[in-house]
Amino acid sequence: DTGVSQDPRHKITKRGQNVTFRCDPISEHNRLYWYRQTLGQGPEFLTYFQNEAQLEKSRLLSDRFSAERPKGSFSTLEIQRTEQGDSAMYLCASSLKASGSFGETQYFGPGTRLLVL
Amino acid sequence: AQTVTQSQPEMSVQEAETVTLSCTYDTSESDYYLFWYKQPPSRQMILVIRQEAYKQQNATENRFSVNFQKAAKSFSLKISDSQLGDAAMYFCAYRYYGNNRLAFGKGNQVVVIP
């Protein structure tokens, strides 16, 4: 049973560079979420997909952030022109939304820790 | 916007004893879900327990149980017979029935003393 996986686990970059993270959800899950967690805080919602459609984006997701989920499988989160304030743990989660059901459990990956120098 | 508040940033408990983590939330909605997630050091977050707001009965999962007080908007987690593996950060989370985002509190660090 494979859970949610994320790659890379750690990323160090210089301010102004672009970075891309990948998330592979649990195979049959149709929903995929991205959260950001800064030190000493709980995760904050960024965006979510149902299959390949991006259905909701937080106002935290500035124009420098873009997420995709081609073919409704893995997802990528790209940050352009990184800033020091982007340093955080980026968490991916997935869930299975069945017809007529609500409040399904979100299963989290191990996260990608980003440090912007 | 919904807010979730967890006080007592760090709690210590002797092995085999009981510890209770408090969580309050602010919402104007009546249909929602509440969760406790556990995040061990350098490991991924896992679901401990969940509660549907329409259910009056408090959820239990083995040594973990909740005290859900809907009118008071309170959702505490009790860990009984604490084990060393329970040491982790615990997050309380809220999800409104009508959307898909989880709103988390800042977390409670649980330290288990052998």
Side-chain angles (χ1 to χ4, degrees), chain B residues 9-95:
Chain B
E10 183 170 309
M11 303 278 288
S12 295
V13 60
Q14 290 284 145
E15 201 174 358
E17 296 296 310
T18 296
V19 63
T20 299
L21 311 180
S22 63
C23 171
T24 59
Y25 56 94
D26 180 27
T27 184
S28 57
E29 308 294 344
S30 59
D31 294 323
Y32 51 86
Y33 304 88
L34 296 164
F35 306 84
W36 279 97
Y37 277 89
K38 170 185 177 182
Q39 189 175 41
S42 302
R43 293 181 60 188
Q44 62 203 80
M45 195 144 44
I46 58 174
L47 178 69
V48 174
I49 199 165
R50 59 176 278 156
Q51 174 82 40
E52 290 83 359
Y54 66 85
K55 290 185 178 179
Q56 292 186 341
Q57 187 172 7
N58 289 322
T60 61
E61 286 288 342
N62 301 316
R63 297 181 296 106
F64 299 88
S65 61
V66 298
N67 184 2
F68 172 48
Q69 301 289 329
K70 190 172 184 179
K73 297 180 184 176
S74 169
F75 184 59
S76 62
L77 174 70
K78 185 170 78 171
I79 307 174
S80 303
D81 185 25
S82 296
Q83 301 175 359
L84 295 177
D86 295 333
M89 185 72 85
Y90 287 80
F91 291 97
C92 178
Y94 165 100
R95 176 178 169 178

Side-chain angles (χ1 to χ4, degrees), chain A:
Chain A
D1 177 26
T2 54
V4 179
S5 61
Q6 293 187 244
D7 184 68
R9 295 291 305 278
H10 303 273
K11 179 71 176 178
I12 300 174
T13 190
K14 293 182 179 178
R15 189 177 54 184
Q17 298 295 305
N18 299 344
V19 294
T20 300
F21 309 139
R22 176 179 171 124
C23 170
D24 286 89
I26 294 171
S27 60
E28 68 270 23
H29 284 188
N30 50 9
R31 284 188 170 175
L32 186 147
Y33 311 78
W34 285 99
Y35 292 82
R36 181 174 69 186
Q37 185 178 19
T38 54
L39 205 59
Q41 303 293 320
E44 296 174 291
F45 172 83
L46 292 177
T47 188
Y48 101 95
F49 293 82
Q50 178 150 328
N51 300 312
E52 66 276 8
Q54 188 174 20
L55 297 186
E56 189 175 354
K57 291 195 291 186
S58 163
R59 57 185 170 80
L60 292 176
L61 213 64
S62 75
D63 291 344
R64 296 185 298 105
F65 288 70
S66 63
E68 295 183 341
R69 193 184 182 198
K71 303 179 183 179
S73 56
F74 71 92
S75 175
T76 58
L77 177 68
E78 181 184 17
I79 309 174
Q80 296 181 328
R81 305 181 302 283
T82 52
E83 301 172 355
Q84 288 182 326
D86 297 331
S87 295
M89 175 80 85
Y90 290 84
L91 297 169
C92 177
S94 71
S95 69
L96 176 62
K97 172 70 169 81
S99 176
S101 71
F102 301 92
E104 73 278 5
T105 295
Q106 296 182 21
Y107 296 86
F108 283 81
T112 295
R113 187 171 294 282
L114 172 67
L115 177 60
V116 181
L117 301 176

